Amino acid sequence: MEMRKRRDLGMTLLELVVVMAILGTLVTASMGLFLRVIRGGTKTEALLASQAGVSLPIDVIESAIRNAQEVSAVGGGGCPGSGNSLTLINSDGGVTKFSLTPLGQIASNSATITPQDVAIEDLGFQCERNEGSPDLITVFIKARGAAVNQVSIAPLKDYKIKVSLRTY
């Protein structure tokens, strides 16, 4: 009888150790899940920022190509050809040039058109010329969102658009 009374007064050391081990396992598993969810949200945020940051230069380049009178140069040559810069002759006779700056920004006539939170790792142009149809320009962009908390977690994303000059 005395044994029962002692047992009812509290828990043994072994029971406490078992409970602590179970709680420790649950806390560790839930923290791992919590950190994965937070990291996934940060990756998504960085990817969305990258896409939003690349949409502006894509829109500017696409509009300039559509409204250009002719392609003056692609890289170091003319059209057909490919390279990392594009020079267009506008309908008013002005010249627009797109290139990649050493800081990873897309420049149009020396003014950057890429937000600071997006790093462009590669920019390329390819021009195709077919008789009887306007020049077709393919634009290739490899971009990454900026680092979040000094850690670059945004994946490198490829963008590819095809735009033809309008025929007037």
Side-chain angles (χ1 to χ4, degrees):
M1 278 282 215
E2 278 188 42
M3 188 72 144
R4 251 189 202 179
K5 282 186 180 180
R6 275 186 86 204
R7 182 140 171 89
D8 290 342
L9 294 176
M11 301 191 323
T12 66
L13 182 59
L14 181 61
E15 290 171 333
L16 286 174
V17 169
V18 169
V19 169
M20 293 298 288
I22 291 171
L23 286 176
T25 304
L26 289 174
V27 167
T28 302
S30 63
M31 284 303 294
L33 179 64
F34 176 73
L35 291 175
R36 277 195 300 266
V37 168
I38 295 297
R39 183 170 164 87
T42 306
K43 276 185 180 179
T44 302
E45 183 180 308
L47 183 59
L48 289 174
S50 174
Q51 289 174 341
V54 172
S55 68
L56 172 67
I58 285 176
D59 291 345
V60 170
I61 292 170
E62 185 175 11
S63 176
I65 292 171
R66 286 197 195 286
N67 294 318
Q69 186 174 353
E70 70 176 280
V71 176
S72 172
V74 179
C79 186
S82 61
N84 59 0
S85 65
L86 176 69
T87 306
L88 303 169
I89 305 295
N90 303 325
S91 57
D92 64 356
V95 175
T96 302
K97 181 177 181 180
F98 295 100
S99 61
L100 185 62
T101 70
L103 297 175
Q105 302 291 309
I106 297 176
S108 170
N109 293 351
S110 299
T112 60
I113 58 174
T114 312
Q116 294 296 322
D117 61 345
V118 175
I120 307 297
E121 296 196 9
D122 192 20
L123 175 66
F125 301 96
Q126 182 177 0
C127 182
E128 300 172 24
R129 182 169 284 164
N130 296 317
E131 198 62 42
S133 62
D135 292 347
L136 179 67
I137 309 294
T138 305
V139 182
F140 304 94
I141 299 174
K142 285 188 180 189
R144 182 186 311 271
V148 176
N149 297 330
Q150 284 74 37
V151 178
S152 182
I153 57 172
L156 187 63
K157 181 137 174 62
D158 292 325
Y159 299 88
K160 177 181 173 183
I161 59 167
K162 291 188 174 202
V163 186
S164 62
L165 277 68
R166 290 185 181 159
T167 53
Y168 292 102

